[in-house]
């Protein structure tokens, strides 16, 4: 019997379903996070911007390799979480950090996989509606997620190849999907009415939408990525934060510390990005999380190059605010090939936002650690 998949409109209705229709309440558990505090910054030689951005990442280290890797020491963590900042005028600085309140570090024990489970989001009244509106496109070809009024979370390999900054990183731009003025229609406030009106509602993204671009002012990349040279431990640090030159005026998604996958509703993760086999279209997908290490989450979400850098998120109940909330819990690193005994294996991998990474990224966004103590 042929396997049936839900239509895009029914799927979107379920994705955006109000809390009143939810029958269980997996909760965000607030925890005190350590402090990652910048110590001093030094100027570094200007980058050369030689290579093109890589949309796929390869590694010789598979999940078992990561699970059995030696635990990083306190000194190692300070080295990995030190970071470089690329400024829009071409200057490069390196900042050392200090760690405070850090507990001992512990580890928990194919691009398209079968049927293509991706959904192109069509119609400006979907694309411009949260949570899909937080997805943005980078001029280097990757995706990103709005995590602040002027901040975008993405993958480090989208701006740095592990050795140097890629072409286009100095004049990096972030693209926001926007309806062309002549195609704007009256907003539809009732999502169920939109679902019932059929598949021809709204324009197709690739035909009726355009990108509005904003330049990046600063780009932060952790030294763990640069020192790791995009393999082994470096994969754990495949994330970067962009600060835009002006506010984007859209709702952003909050950061959250990545919970164990068994605590996720249905063990499910979601993300939206700009896969390059569907030019101009925003592509949404969800799937069950698979294996995990303390820093990486392996899954078989269908994706193509271009989706890397997307924010991986989950939706759970916020008991303190008494509402359902989506939070970014990882960064989709992309499709990664692993060579084992002469044979290739494939994984789709996301970098988990650990308490330390949360503290670092939050500090980059807010500029102080006081607002970053609970994740």
């Amino acid at each position: 019997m042929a396997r049936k998949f839900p239509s895009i409109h029914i799927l979107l209705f379920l994705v955006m379903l109000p809390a009143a229709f939810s029958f269980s309440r997996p909760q965000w558990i607030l925890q005190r996070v350590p402090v990652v505090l910048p110590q001093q910054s030094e100027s570094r030689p200007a980058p050369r911007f030689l290579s093109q951005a890589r949309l796929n990442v390869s590694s010789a280290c598979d999940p078992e390799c990561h699970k059995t890797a030696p635990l990083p020491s306190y000194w190692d963590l300070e080295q990995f979480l030190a970071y470089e900042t690329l400024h829009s005028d071409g200057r490069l600085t390196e900042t050392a950090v200090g760690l405070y309140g850090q507990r001992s570090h512990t580890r928990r024990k194919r691009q398209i996989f079968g049927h293509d489970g991706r959904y192109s989001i069509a119609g400006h009244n979907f694309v411009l509606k949260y949570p899909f509106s937080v997805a943005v496109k980078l001029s280097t070809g990757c995706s990103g997620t709005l995590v602040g009024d002027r901040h975008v979370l993405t993958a480090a390999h989208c701006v740095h190849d592990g050795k140097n900054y890629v072409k286009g990183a100095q004049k990096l731009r972030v693209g926001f999907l926007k309806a062309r003025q002549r195609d704007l229609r009256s907003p539809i406030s009732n999502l169920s009415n939109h679902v019932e009106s059929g598949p021809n509602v709204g324009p197709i993204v690739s035909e009726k939408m355009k990108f509005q671009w904003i330049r990046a002012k600063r780009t932060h990349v952790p030294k763990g990525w640069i020192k790791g040279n995009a393999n082994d431990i470096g994969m754990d640090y495949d994330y970067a934060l962009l600060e835009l030159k002006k506010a984007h005026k859209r709702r952003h998604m909050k950061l959250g510390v990545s919970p164990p996958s068994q605590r996720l509703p249905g063990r499910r993760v979601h993300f939206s990005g700009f896969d390059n086999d569907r030019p101009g279209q925003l592509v949404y997908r969800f799937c069950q999380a698979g294996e995990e290490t303390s820093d990486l989450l392996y899954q078989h979400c269908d994706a193509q190059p271009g989706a890397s850098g997307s924010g991986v998120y989950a939706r759970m109940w916020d008991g303190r605010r008494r509402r359902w909330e989506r939070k970014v819990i990882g960064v989709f690193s992309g499709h990664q090939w692993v060579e084992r005994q002469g044979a290739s294996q494939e994984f789709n991998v996301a970098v988990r936002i650990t308490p330390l990474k949360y503290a670092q990224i939050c500090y980059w966004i807010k500029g102080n650690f006081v607002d970053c103590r609970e994740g």
Side-chain angles (χ1 to χ4, degrees), residues 51-343:
S51 60
Q52 296 290 340
R54 294 183 303 168
L55 303 186
N56 277 327
V57 180
S58 61
S59 171
C61 195
D62 65 2
E64 289 305 315
C65 164
H66 278 276
K67 289 178 182 178
T68 58
L71 298 178
S73 66
Y74 183 88
W75 184 87
D76 290 332
L77 290 171
E78 285 195 329
Q79 301 304 304
F80 296 149
L81 290 168
Y83 59 92
E84 289 188 353
T85 302
L86 176 64
H87 303 262
S88 58
D89 60 5
R91 291 182 300 112
L92 182 66
T93 55
E94 180 177 328
T95 304
V97 301
L99 307 183
Y100 305 92
Q102 164 63 7
R103 297 178 180 178
S104 60
H105 192 75
T106 59
R107 294 185 183 270
R108 301 184 186 95
K109 292 196 178 218
R110 152 185 195 191
Q111 294 168 305
I112 303 299
F113 301 92
H115 177 90
D116 189 347
R118 298 173 298 159
Y119 298 86
S120 294
I121 307 304
H124 68 267
N125 38 312
F126 275 140
V127 171
L128 303 182
K129 188 176 180 67
Y130 185 87
F132 306 115
S133 58
V134 304
V136 293
K137 183 177 179 63
L138 273 60
S139 55
T140 54
C142 289
S143 300
T145 302
L146 302 177
V147 291
D149 293 337
R150 58 175 68 212
H151 291 92
V152 175
L153 185 64
T154 189
H157 73 257
C158 296
V159 295
H160 196 290
D161 65 6
K163 297 180 180 178
N164 214 318
Y165 290 86
V166 303
K167 290 181 179 179
Q170 181 179 353
K171 298 182 179 180
L172 188 63
R173 298 181 301 156
V174 173
F176 297 75
L177 268 182
K178 182 179 180 182
R180 296 183 188 275
Q181 193 65 35
R182 64 177 180 273
D183 295 321
L184 287 173
R185 306 177 188 179
S186 299
I188 299 176
S189 58
N190 190 327
L191 182 59
S192 61
N193 288 343
H194 189 184
V195 171
E196 294 168 357
S197 57
N200 295 321
V201 173
I204 300 300
V205 179
S206 58
E207 296 176 356
K208 304 296 184 181
M209 306 293 287
K210 66 177 182 179
F211 284 103
Q212 180 180 16
W213 298 90
I214 298 179
R215 282 281 304 276
K217 182 179 180 181
R218 296 185 184 91
T219 301
H220 301 298
V221 179
K223 294 290 286 184
W225 169 257
I226 299 169
K227 290 178 180 294
N229 193 25
N231 56 49
D232 296 336
I233 194 66
M235 248 188 230
D236 297 348
Y237 295 89
D238 189 10
Y239 61 91
L241 188 80
L242 316 179
E243 180 185 346
L244 304 179
K245 285 196 169 184
K246 63 179 182 180
H248 51 72
K249 300 180 181 179
R250 288 192 182 186
R251 181 180 175 184
H252 64 267
M253 193 174 289
K254 292 183 179 179
L255 290 175
V257 173
S258 176
S261 59
Q262 63 266 26
R263 281 192 42 233
L264 297 172
R267 294 180 63 100
R268 188 174 295 134
V269 293
H270 312 249
F271 62 94
S272 301
F274 296 92
D275 304 47
N276 62 8
D277 67 331
R278 300 187 185 184
Q281 297 186 30
L282 177 63
V283 182
Y284 163 77
R285 78 236 62 207
F286 66 91
C287 68
Q288 282 193 336
E291 291 188 74
E292 63 184 349
T293 69
S294 58
D295 289 282
L296 300 175
L297 181 65
Y298 296 85
Q299 30 71 25
H300 281 182
C301 282
D302 294 325
Q304 289 284 345
S308 56
S310 302
V312 175
Y313 66 88
R315 178 178 179 270
M316 296 199 289
W317 180 254
D318 187 329
R320 186 168 64 175
R321 295 180 175 85
R322 307 298 300 170
R323 67 187 185 195
W324 291 89
E325 188 149 39
R326 295 174 180 86
K327 293 183 181 181
V328 180
I329 59 171
V331 178
F332 182 57
S333 182
H335 183 72
Q336 298 178 343
W337 291 90
V338 176
E339 295 292 333
R340 298 183 69 186
Q341 299 178 343

